[in-house]
Amino acid sequence: MEECTLSMGIDDPFTFSCTPEVSCFNECCHDLNQFLSPYDVMRLKKALKLPSWEFLDRYTAFHTGPESGLPVVTPQYKPGTELECPFLTPSGCSVYDDRPGACRAYPIARAIKRSRETGVITEYFMLITEPHCQGHGRGKTQTVRDWMAAQGLLPYNRMNDPLMEIISLKNRLHPGPLDRNSRKLFYLACYDIDAFRKEIFENGLADDLNPIPAILQQIEKSDPALLLFGYAWIKLKLFGLHTDEGQLAQTLRELSI
């Protein structure tokens, strides 16, 4: 049986369960080919009580995406293993409450498309079936919507969707690899956010955005707010696109950040 995907609607049902009683438990934590989003890194470094630069150095690897031309962060696999997740233990995931979005969503994959005219996001879902996974057909039947809610994916989707917009802008406005300095800025604002915050408040790095005091107060104390601000800063630095400060402040309020 080969890996296959089935297109799903958000209210379509499927039956799946992943528990220690399933024979393949923890197999999906090996032979990983996994991308960590900026929000994944933010959650993990906070859970481990590490500054972003130490977390990135200790637990991740970095390369340039062949398609996007943007910096890509992946887990730093355990030495001497078959691409084993660094957070895997014999009893399961050691960072389960803050596990990456892709781990939460499995076996559902989500993609989005944003309208250039209206900004409205359309979601697309797929059910992934892989030979090693024995969780299909077990447990209760639920809809994709129910699964996303039960797995705590709403904040991940809300924080990752602006990144998808940046990737789309990059592909449209700046095809091909970024130069070294642009890659460095992207990595700083999206991943090494504690260093980004330090540069903002100690060296005035984001003065070109002229952030209002209310936004500065939020990004000083809130990592999610800082990450959203970083997305806005990247849009300006890489593509010359300004984000309306009122819109950014409203987004932060809507997300209760």
Side-chain angles (χ1 to χ4, degrees):
M1 179 181 177
E2 296 181 355
E3 175 182 343
C4 63
T5 59
L6 174 66
S7 179
M8 302 279 285
I10 196 168
D11 291 311
D12 286 345
F14 70 103
T15 305
F16 181 84
S17 177
C18 180
T19 67
E21 288 70 39
V22 179
S23 61
C24 63
F25 186 62
N26 286 347
E27 275 195 37
C28 57
C29 304
H30 298 79
D31 195 22
L32 287 179
N33 181 19
Q34 185 175 356
F35 155 78
L36 293 177
S37 74
Y39 188 66
D40 290 335
V41 170
M42 190 211 80
R43 291 280 296 255
L44 289 167
K45 69 96 179 175
K46 184 175 181 180
L48 295 170
K49 298 180 172 59
L50 295 173
S52 55
W53 57 81
E54 185 174 347
F55 171 82
L56 291 163
D57 182 64
R58 186 184 300 184
Y59 291 109
T60 73
F62 161 81
H63 66 274
T64 300
E67 294 183 3
S68 70
L70 292 170
V72 172
V73 171
T74 60
Q76 182 69 269
Y77 309 115
K78 289 183 181 178
T81 68
E82 295 181 359
L83 303 183
E84 183 177 308
C85 176
F87 307 114
L88 178 63
T89 71
S91 59
C93 177
S94 64
V95 292
Y96 186 80
D97 288 344
D98 294 282
R99 65 199 184 279
C103 303
R104 292 172 179 269
Y106 190 86
I108 297 296
R110 173 181 178 268
I112 64 168
K113 184 176 182 180
R114 181 190 296 269
S115 168
R116 293 186 190 178
E117 290 75 23
T118 66
V120 172
I121 292 175
T122 303
E123 296 179 303
Y124 302 89
F125 301 96
M126 291 166 287
L127 178 67
I128 303 170
T129 303
E130 298 180 284
H132 69 78
C133 182
Q134 304 302 308
H136 292 277
R138 296 176 179 267
K140 68 176 183 179
T141 298
Q142 55 195 310
T143 66
V144 173
R145 187 190 303 274
D146 293 337
W147 179 258
M148 304 286 278
Q151 299 303 312
L153 278 159
L154 182 58
Y156 285 79
N157 294 342
R158 291 191 302 186
M159 293 299 295
N160 289 335
D161 287 353
L163 177 66
M164 298 302 103
E165 180 185 4
I166 288 176
I167 292 173
S168 177
L169 285 170
K170 160 69 175 58
N171 292 337
R172 180 161 53 92
L173 302 176
H174 197 316
L178 294 175
D179 60 61
R180 182 177 179 180
N181 185 60
S182 295
R183 292 197 303 270
K184 182 179 178 181
L185 294 179
F186 182 92
Y187 183 83
L188 175 69
C190 293
Y191 289 103
D192 197 358
I193 61 172
D194 289 318
F196 183 48
R197 178 183 282 121
K198 184 177 180 180
E199 289 292 325
I200 289 172
F201 288 98
E202 294 185 10
N203 298 317
L205 183 66
D207 286 354
D208 47 1
L209 265 181
N210 193 29
I212 60 178
I215 290 178
L216 286 173
Q217 290 174 5
Q218 287 179 294
I219 66 178
E220 187 172 19
K221 63 184 180 181
S222 166
D223 283 350
L226 178 64
L227 184 54
L228 287 175
F229 182 82
Y231 291 152
W233 185 73
I234 284 297
K235 288 169 68 175
L236 174 63
K237 300 299 288 187
L238 267 60
F239 313 118
L241 299 176
H242 288 265
T243 300
D244 180 80
E245 286 191 346
Q247 179 184 356
L248 179 57
Q250 177 65 26
T251 299
L252 299 182
R253 287 193 295 269
E254 290 173 353
L255 295 179
S256 300
I257 292 172

